[in-house]
Amino acid sequence: MAAIGFIGLGNMGLPMARNLVKAGHAVQVFDLNADAMAEAEAAGARCVTSTAAAAADVEAVVTALPAARHVRAVYLGAEGVLATALNHTLFIDCSTIDVETARALATEAEAAGQLFVDSPMSGGVGGATAGTLTFMVGGEDRAFARAEPILRAMGKNIFHAGKAGAGAAAKICNNMMLAIQMIAVSEGFNLAAKLGLEAQKLYDISSTATARCWSLNDYCPAPGPAPAAPSNRDYKPGFAADLMLKDLRIAMEAAQAAGAVTPMGAQAAQIYGMMAAAGMGGDDFSGVIRFLEGFRG
Ligand code: NAD
């Protein structure tokens, strides 16, 4: 079993760190949020007082931070973990960030004598808690080989997507598809309500018909049919709409730079932007159903 540092104990990071402890790893953790630290300690992790301390004297460091700017702040510069950790430490960044930043971090890591993989994840808080996440990993073969057994303690499907940045690319494509699907499912359930069709009936039919998808079957935005979904707890995240908006903006920048045509992705980015502007960015992204229902524009 390995000594592992963990930085970022949010909705995803905390249950992931718990699963590393459960698998027998010695886990030292840091987050800016004292409550999250206390919860990790109660689960058997060792709390330390800085990102550098979390990355010190370990074989691997896992990070699960909100966005690229947080990841850069933690990794780079004289006080950044790439500079302060022991040489040959493996860094596994599970945050959803842009492809360019992921590639730049891999280059910086190599220059600092470290190994880095971009390893964004899919499966939500449910998957993080159950240890069934999907990880899409970008990086060199030898880095992937070291990361895989650690990721196994937190996930079920571990894919080597390609070289540095390939994990980030897979993740933003996945989330652009997810955002579009969630809006589509929400529109369907809102229309059904106006037509006097019960949500449960539409669910029973569509979850076995051609509209079925994860947003409908597992994470239904209408309360009732999918008991574990955030729609049954007032859209408490889960995966916040603000984070989905971040991912869509990354996807739209990538699409523009690469010359890909993504009109539905652009529309989804606008809708989540309006939802955030309406003060609902902290709700789960499936709360878009409530935003659309109340929208009279
Ligand atoms: P979150 O906002 O709940 O957690 C992020 C944590 O990072 C917070 O606890 C915050 O205090 C901590 N943090 C920020 N800056 C820090 C620093 N400098 N040092 C230490 N800790 C710091 O986010 P989340 O929902 O856990 O998501 C984490 C990442 O995973 C994001 O990039 C998100 O897009 C991605 N993701 C989330 C989900 C989901 O369902 N929530 C699913 C897949 C991927």
Side-chain angles (χ1 to χ4, degrees), residues 267-283:
Q267 189 71 44
Q270 282 211 344
I271 290 171
Y272 278 103
M274 289 191 290
M275 181 175 167
M280 298 167 77
D283 290 358

Side-chain angles (χ1 to χ4, degrees), residues 54-89:
D57 301 322
V58 289
E59 287 153 56
V61 177
V62 181
T63 49
L65 295 160
R69 66 191 162 88
H70 307 91
V71 177
R72 275 195 222 98
V74 167
Y75 276 79
L76 301 177
E79 302 300 314
V81 289
L82 289 180
T84 60
L86 289 177
N87 265 8
H88 308 298
T89 301

Side-chain angles (χ1 to χ4, degrees), residues 9 20 53 58 114 139 147 194-195 225 276:
L9 301 165
L20 287 175
V58 289
Q114 315 291 19
K194 297 260 188 232
L195 297 176

Side-chain angles (χ1 to χ4, degrees), residues 82-97:
L82 289 180
T84 60
L86 289 177
N87 265 8
H88 308 298
T89 301
L90 170 68
F91 288 89
I92 303 174
D93 180 41
C94 299
S95 323
T96 304
I97 62 172

Side-chain angles (χ1 to χ4, degrees), residues 173-187 213 215 244 248 252 262-269 271-272 285 288:
C173 295
N174 180 78
N175 274 23
M176 183 181 76
M177 295 189 277
L178 171 65
I180 294 166
Q181 285 168 345
M182 183 55 79
I183 293 167
V185 172
S186 296
E187 288 187 8
C213 60
S215 295
M244 179 54 97
L248 285 165
M252 290 308 97
T262 55
M264 298 297 286
Q267 189 71 44
I271 290 171
Y272 278 103
F285 82 111
V288 71

Side-chain angles (χ1 to χ4, degrees), residues 61-271:
V61 177
V62 181
T63 49
L65 295 160
R69 66 191 162 88
H70 307 91
V71 177
R72 275 195 222 98
V74 167
Y75 276 79
L76 301 177
E79 302 300 314
V81 289
L82 289 180
T84 60
L86 289 177
N87 265 8
H88 308 298
T89 301
L90 170 68
F91 288 89
I92 303 174
D93 180 41
C94 299
S95 323
T96 304
I97 62 172
D98 59 285
V99 177
E100 247 172 71
T101 299
R103 286 183 183 148
L105 285 167
T107 305
E108 293 283 342
E110 199 180 347
Q114 315 291 19
L115 284 177
F116 175 86
V117 290
D118 49 295
S119 181
M121 53 201 170
S122 174
V125 175
T129 305
T132 57
L133 291 168
T134 293
F135 289 100
M136 37 216 114
V137 184
E140 299 300 329
D141 289 347
R142 67 196 172 107
F144 177 75
R146 275 182 59 189
E148 213 227 339
I150 294 170
L151 294 171
R152 274 270 157 241
M154 304 182 285
K156 197 168 68 173
N157 300 307
I158 324 287
F159 293 103
H160 191 184
K163 293 207 180 304
K171 176 64 186 175
I172 57 163
C173 295
N174 180 78
N175 274 23
M176 183 181 76
M177 295 189 277
L178 171 65
I180 294 166
Q181 285 168 345
M182 183 55 79
I183 293 167
V185 172
S186 296
E187 288 187 8
F189 277 87
N190 280 343
L191 176 59
K194 297 260 188 232
L195 297 176
L197 175 63
E198 273 177 37
Q200 186 66 50
K201 290 285 178 209
L202 179 62
Y203 180 88
D204 292 344
I205 295 163
S206 292
S207 64
T208 55
T210 42
R212 69 175 181 257
C213 60
W214 183 85
S215 295
L216 197 160
N217 290 35
D218 298 331
Y219 212 86
C220 185
S231 53
N232 299 302
R233 11 172 247 274
D234 201 27
Y235 300 97
K236 183 175 171 294
F239 181 44
D242 278 339
L243 287 179
M244 179 54 97
L245 178 58
K246 173 204 71 168
D247 294 358
L248 285 165
R249 286 181 173 152
I250 295 171
M252 290 308 97
E253 275 173 26
Q256 201 173 16
V261 180
T262 55
M264 298 297 286
Q267 189 71 44
Q270 282 211 344
I271 290 171

